[in-house]
């Protein structure tokens, strides 16, 4: 690892904080500044760099460390450059503020480091830490004179936090992606509260469903029959009963993780024109996250059944629907998994394979046949992605660089496979 930087701070930490200060925050992420920053890192590290515009203003930056055997498929290290917003307030101490002092101890785009070594910033966990850990692991390996058979590509993609529809979803269909010949990928994971590290081999499928109920309108003072509200209430009750059943299933089985059950939340209610008018139409929107083993055809039929049971005039539509769940092998006979898990065995670190409870860009990679694992090397750390006071300790960050250096060495050295031909 490099020598200590200014005021005793490790230069990898300094670089991390610099990246955190780039405001790639929605709804107007500064992707241009992020791309320039990454290109400068490529120049310093002697890596190839290309920018692929997949949609207007949406650019994927690819950094490449060529391997010694170009016939082999490559190792792909993916991360997203965008971060979610923070709560805004109109005035704080007499000036326009980007955050509330009530929720954030420090400006979320200052990358403040406190006396204990915690770095506060939006993106500290999700997932600018991983982006810089990739870069610093490569820096460490190159400085030590390593060369590996497989090429290593690092992709930095936009818009993951808004679904990846103008990011990875488009990129995997591009010839530039095909040219990478990715054989295996790493992407983001989650922090772990324990000594163990979590790794995610699949993820739940996102179904955003809007249920619309139509009924008889009229004056708000009357007992009108067959109203939109009555029928919508029946559907909402059915969905929330299902939610409670899945919640109880999760809580009653200590061996189940959240990603192994289907979750649902009521996220939006719409309708009505005035307090004294019974509306003709009301709608409720739900966020379903389907476990990988769910029969999607049967689940869609269940949605239809809930609507039909509520009465005539109740329908549903999909706002978003992912129907291509894929599972990356965690069998010891799989060379990629053997290389990945072997690093943790050698380092005497515990690894817990799980299903990711939400959605990441890994789903697009798996859907086009690239096995992917979601992993962020953050143990003994509270899960603070998208939360107030998102932060990461510098010691956890630096250890992650060392872990990635070991992972890159193992994965980029996986011997030739049938899939390489």
């Amino acid at each position: 690892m490099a020598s200590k930087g200014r005021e005793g701070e490790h230069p990898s930490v300094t670089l991390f904080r610099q990246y955190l200060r780039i405001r790639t925050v929605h709804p107007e992420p500064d992707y241009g500044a992020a791309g320039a920053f990454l290109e400068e890192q490529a120049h310093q590290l002697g890596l190839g760099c290309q920018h692929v515009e997949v949609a207007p203003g949406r650019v994927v930056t690819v950094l490449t460390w060529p391997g010694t055997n170009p016939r082999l498929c490559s190792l792909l290290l993916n991360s997203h450059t965008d971060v979610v917003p923070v709560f805004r307030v109109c005035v704080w101490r007499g000036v326009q503020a980007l955050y509330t002092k009530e929720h954030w101890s420090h400006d979320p785009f200052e990358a403040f480091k406190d006396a204990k070594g915690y770095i506060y910033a939006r993106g500290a966990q999700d997932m600018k830490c991983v982006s810089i850990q990739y870069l610093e692991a490569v820096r460490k390996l190159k400085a030590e004179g390593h060369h590996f058979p497989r090429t290593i590509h690092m992709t930095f993609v936009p818009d993951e936090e808004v679904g990846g529809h103008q990011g990875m979803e488009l990129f995997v269909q591009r010839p530039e992606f095909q040219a990478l010949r990715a054989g295996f990928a790493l992407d983001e994971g989650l922090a772990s509260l324990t000594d163990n590290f979590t790794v995610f081999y699949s993820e739940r499928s996102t179904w955003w469903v809007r249920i619309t109920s139509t009924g008889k309108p009229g004056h708000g003072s009357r007992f009108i029959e067959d109203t939109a509200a009555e029928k919508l209430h029946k559907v909402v009750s059915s969905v929330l009963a299902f939610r409670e059943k899945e919640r109880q299933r999760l809580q009653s089985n200590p061996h189940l993780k959240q990603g192994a059950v289907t979750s649902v939340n009521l996220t939006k209610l719409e309708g009505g024109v005035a307090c004294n008018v019974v509306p003709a139409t009301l709608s409720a929107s739900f966020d379903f996250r389907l476990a990988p083993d769910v029969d999607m055809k049967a689940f869609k039929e269940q949605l239809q059944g809930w609507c039909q049971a509520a009465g005539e005039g109740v329908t549903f539509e999909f706002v978003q629907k992912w129907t291509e769940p894929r599972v990356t092998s965690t069998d010891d006979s799989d060379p990629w998994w053997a290389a990945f898990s072997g690093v943790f065995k050698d380092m005497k670190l515990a690894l817990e394979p799980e299903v990711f409870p939400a959605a990441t860009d890994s789903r697009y990679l798996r859907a086009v046949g690239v096995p992917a694992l979601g992993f962020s090397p953050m143990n003994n750390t509270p899960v603070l992605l998208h939360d107030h006071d998102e932060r990461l300790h510098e010691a956890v960050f630096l250890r992650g660089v060392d872990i990635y250096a070991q992972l890159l060495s193992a994965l980029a050295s996986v011997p030739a496979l049938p899939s390489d031909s």
Side-chain angles (χ1 to χ4, degrees), residues 215-222 224 227-229 272-281:
K216 294 180 180 178
H219 197 281
S221 64
R222 300 171 56 210
I224 298 169
T227 64
V273 293
C275 289
N276 61 348
V277 177
V278 176
T281 303

Side-chain angles (χ1 to χ4, degrees), residues 34-288:
F37 172 89
L38 294 168
E39 186 169 356
E40 173 60 25
Q41 299 312 306
H43 175 73
Q44 291 182 14
L45 290 169
L47 303 176
C49 179
Q50 66 171 322
H51 301 288
V52 182
E53 188 172 40
V54 296
R58 297 301 186 257
V59 176
V60 175
T61 299
V62 183
L63 273 54
T64 299
W65 184 9
T68 58
N69 188 349
R71 294 191 299 270
L72 301 180
C73 290
S74 67
L75 171 63
L76 180 66
L77 309 176
N78 185 61
S79 63
H80 61 82
T81 55
D82 57 323
V83 300
V84 296
V86 295
F87 287 95
R88 292 175 180 269
V89 65
C90 292
V91 177
W92 180 62
R93 291 186 179 175
V95 298
Q96 184 74 23
L98 289 175
Y99 67 101
T100 61
K101 195 69 173 174
E102 176 187 358
H103 298 310
W104 281 84
S105 303
H106 309 279
D107 184 332
F109 299 102
E110 180 187 348
F112 177 85
K113 186 175 73 172
D114 68 15
K116 296 180 179 179
Y118 286 98
I119 300 164
Y120 292 75
R122 179 56 90 218
Q125 289 191 16
D126 184 17
M127 64 176 294
K128 289 187 172 180
C129 55
V130 172
S131 300
I132 301 301
Q133 286 167 332
Y134 289 159
L135 289 168
E136 293 303 275
V138 168
R139 189 187 309 274
K140 173 182 172 67
L141 293 169
K142 287 178 70 73
E144 293 173 354
H146 291 283
H147 298 279
F148 304 107
R150 295 182 185 271
T151 292
I152 297 174
H153 297 293
M154 289 174 277
T155 51
F156 303 86
V157 300
D159 277 22
E160 188 276 343
E161 295 291 8
V162 290
H165 306 302
Q166 294 194 92
M168 184 61 83
E169 185 175 18
L170 295 177
F171 182 52
V172 295
Q173 305 302 325
R174 300 272 303 210
E176 293 92 342
F177 176 82
Q178 305 299 326
L180 300 181
R181 297 188 63 241
F184 185 79
L186 296 180
D187 200 355
E188 65 182 313
L190 292 174
S192 167
L193 286 168
T194 70
D195 287 340
N196 300 343
F197 290 87
T198 51
V199 59
F200 300 93
Y201 57 88
S202 186
E203 58 190 49
R204 299 189 292 184
S205 296
T206 301
W207 283 20
W208 290 350
V209 179
R210 181 186 295 116
I211 296 175
T212 301
S213 174
T214 59
K216 294 180 180 178
H219 197 281
S221 64
R222 300 171 56 210
F223 286 107
I224 298 169
E225 300 294 331
D226 195 38
T227 64
E230 291 174 292
K231 291 184 283 191
L232 186 63
H233 177 262
K234 292 178 182 178
V235 182
V236 170
S237 295
S238 296
V239 175
L240 294 184
F242 169 81
R243 179 185 190 274
E244 179 61 17
K245 181 180 178 182
E246 289 293 283
R247 189 178 74 86
Q248 291 291 344
R249 188 161 71 94
L250 175 64
Q251 292 187 344
S252 64
N253 188 340
H255 301 294
L256 280 182
K257 301 295 184 180
Q258 186 174 339
V261 301
T262 295
S263 68
V264 57
N265 282 289
L266 173 59
T267 55
K268 187 185 292 187
L269 290 169
E270 298 174 286
V273 293
C275 289
N276 61 348
V277 177
V278 176
T281 303
L282 290 171
S283 70
S285 296
F286 296 92
D287 183 344
F288 289 89

